[in-house]
Amino acid sequence: MREHIEAAMKGQAKAERRKGQGGANASAASLATDLTLVREENKAGAQLGQARTRDLTARIDELLAAVGRLTLERDEIRAERAELKAKLAETEDDLAAAREAGRRMLRHVNRTP
């Protein structure tokens, strides 16, 4: 039992030493200095944040412009593809008609003595 009491007393003594070393009993001047440093760090962080925000906004604008250009390019390519498909279908129809005309001509030539 005595060992537990002595251990508790030693623990309290260590806690008080840690409390003193940890700045719990800091002076008003020390606290004011800490407060000033924190405020300056916050200002610097805010300025850095604003610079990053401007950079990111500019990058977003660049990307949006690129999306606009790519969208126009895609639409032009789609229109060209549709036009080419229509020409291909017309050419295939012309080829089928020419083949049929060739067959008829060969039949006609083969029938005449």
Side-chain angles (χ1 to χ4, degrees):
M1 181 70 119
R2 178 178 281 177
E3 293 171 2
H4 293 293
I5 293 172
E6 288 176 1
M9 289 172 58
K10 286 181 184 177
Q12 288 176 348
K14 286 181 184 177
E16 286 192 26
R17 262 185 285 156
R18 274 188 255 127
K19 184 178 175 184
Q21 292 171 352
N25 296 328
S27 69
S30 175
L31 292 174
T33 301
D34 288 347
L35 181 60
T36 302
L37 288 173
V38 168
R39 284 182 178 157
E40 291 301 317
E41 287 175 6
N42 284 343
K43 285 180 188 176
Q47 290 172 348
L48 183 58
Q50 289 173 351
R52 286 183 185 157
T53 299
R54 281 192 298 271
D55 292 344
L56 290 175
T57 301
R59 182 66 178 139
I60 288 170
D61 291 341
E62 289 173 13
L63 292 172
L64 288 174
V67 166
R69 286 190 307 272
L70 290 172
T71 300
L72 288 174
E73 186 178 335
R74 180 205 61 203
D75 292 345
E76 289 171 359
I77 289 171
R78 283 182 176 171
E80 183 179 359
R81 184 185 69 185
E83 184 179 320
L84 290 171
K85 279 185 173 184
K87 286 182 180 179
L88 177 61
E90 183 181 339
T91 303
E92 287 173 341
D93 290 346
D94 290 347
L95 178 60
R99 284 180 177 163
E100 183 60 33
R103 283 189 205 108
R104 275 189 249 140
M105 186 183 303
L106 286 174
R107 278 188 224 132
H108 178 67
V109 169
N110 287 335
R111 287 185 194 161
T112 54

